[in-house]
Amino acid sequence: MILGIGSDLVDITRIQKSIDRFGDRFLERIFTERERARADAKANRAAVYAKRFAAKEAIWKALGEEDRPGIQWRELEVVNDASGKPSFELSGVAASRLEAITPAGLVARVDLSLTDEPPMAQAFVVISAETPGIRDNSVI
């Protein structure tokens, strides 16, 4: 069952201009320490930040209208598994909102896709609910 869908498109040069103008103040307000470490280690630093910015905007939309104003940027952390696949670690109000929109007896699943083709970066998020222990509910 799909609970929410969100997408966002970001101009990488706009993110680079924000980094140039505001520096660490901008980066620390929006991104967690882990996100900054990953982006700062890459040659295409601005594109990595832009994809993560787009991801945060996309999940914000997927979480719906209620309680969005209380969500802080750093509560929406984009992380990568060992293979590089991106996902989210939500905390604070964002985690509470995800819990609130998930029907009783089901668990939330957040799928994230990131891409960039300079000068643009894009993110797409699908939040779904599934039966615990069953990865694909279409078989039940």
Side-chain angles (χ1 to χ4, degrees):
M1 159 190 323
I2 293 178
L3 303 177
I5 296 173
S7 68
D8 198 61
L9 186 65
V10 173
D11 185 339
I12 297 168
T13 57
R14 184 181 73 134
I15 298 300
Q16 183 62 61
K17 287 177 183 178
S18 293
I19 294 169
D20 293 344
R21 182 171 179 194
F22 301 107
D24 286 341
R25 194 171 109 216
F26 168 72
L27 296 175
E28 289 171 4
R29 178 173 177 254
I30 305 296
F31 303 100
T32 66
E33 189 174 317
R34 285 192 294 181
E35 288 172 316
R36 293 191 313 269
R38 181 171 178 86
D40 291 344
K42 302 289 185 181
N44 58 345
R45 178 179 185 240
V48 175
Y49 278 122
K51 286 186 282 189
R52 278 158 171 67
F53 189 91
K56 291 169 186 268
E57 288 281 353
I59 195 166
W60 218 318
K61 294 169 185 173
L63 287 169
E65 295 300 319
E66 296 177 26
D67 298 326
R68 279 181 49 192
I71 297 173
Q72 303 298 309
W73 287 104
R74 289 177 291 154
E75 294 176 355
L76 309 166
E77 183 175 23
V78 179
V79 296
N80 296 80
D81 68 13
S83 70
K85 180 182 175 186
S87 63
F88 279 100
E89 285 188 15
L90 303 182
S91 61
V93 176
S96 297
R97 175 68 183 146
L98 180 61
E99 184 179 326
I101 66 171
T102 304
L106 300 178
V107 293
R109 174 179 168 178
V110 180
D111 290 298
L112 169 63
S113 178
L114 300 173
T115 191
D116 67 280
E117 181 63 42
M120 305 306 289
Q122 182 179 25
F124 188 78
V125 172
V126 176
I127 301 174
S128 56
E130 56 191 22
T131 304
I134 299 176
R135 187 77 171 144
D136 181 0
N137 282 321
S138 64
V139 296
I140 57 173

